[in-house]
């Protein structure tokens, strides 16, 4: 049996905001962020029904901040690794 994944309220709000951009389908956004398109459609429907109550859940501000910092750290690590590889490439090229 598979374990049920939990998504932060912040991720849900960001995904819904992406679906509201012109020229972007709900399916495209769902595939990009790695969730089932039906799940993203349900999040959007829930947000439309009750904007003030949507995605309250058990997320505390501390948990949301931790998740945001983890995403930022992952992004910075990717940038660092890319720059490291580029420096090695150009060092070899100039030799």
């Amino acid at each position: 049996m598979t374990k049920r994944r939990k998504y932060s309220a912040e991720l849900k709000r960001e995904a819904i905001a992406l679906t509201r951009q012109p020229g972007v389908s709900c399916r495209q956004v769902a595939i990009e962020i790695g969730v089932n398109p039906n799940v993203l459609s349900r999040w959007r429907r829930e947000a439309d029904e009750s904007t003030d109550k949507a995605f309250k859940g058990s997320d505390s501000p501390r948990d949301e901040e931790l998740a945001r910092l983890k995403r930022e750290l992952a992004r910075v690590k990717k940038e660092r690794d890319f720059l490291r590889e580029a420096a090695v490439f150009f060092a070899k090229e100039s030799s």
Side-chain angles (χ1 to χ4, degrees):
M1 190 158 90
T2 61
K3 189 173 181 181
R4 189 172 186 173
R5 294 182 62 183
K6 292 185 179 183
Y7 300 98
S8 70
E10 182 181 7
L11 173 78
K12 292 176 182 181
R13 284 190 293 269
E14 289 175 4
I16 291 168
L18 288 173
T19 63
R20 294 197 169 125
Q21 293 179 354
V24 180
S25 72
C26 194
R27 181 174 176 76
Q28 284 176 311
V29 173
I31 291 170
E32 287 177 10
I33 64 172
V35 300
N36 188 305
N38 294 333
V39 171
L40 184 54
S41 296
R42 188 181 74 231
W43 293 348
R44 188 169 176 179
R45 189 172 50 250
E46 288 173 0
D48 290 340
E49 289 173 359
S50 58
T51 55
D52 57 336
K53 298 177 187 175
F55 316 127
K56 290 285 183 181
S58 62
D59 289 330
S60 69
R62 182 176 180 205
D63 292 339
E64 288 182 15
E65 178 72 7
L66 180 62
R68 186 188 65 76
L69 290 172
K70 284 182 178 181
R71 283 194 306 273
E72 184 178 350
L73 178 60
R75 182 184 55 81
V76 169
K77 282 183 176 181
K78 284 181 183 179
E79 290 174 1
R80 179 204 59 199
D81 293 342
F82 173 77
L83 292 172
R84 185 178 293 154
E85 290 174 14
V88 169
F89 174 78
F90 287 115
K92 286 180 182 178
E93 190 175 89
S94 64
S95 298

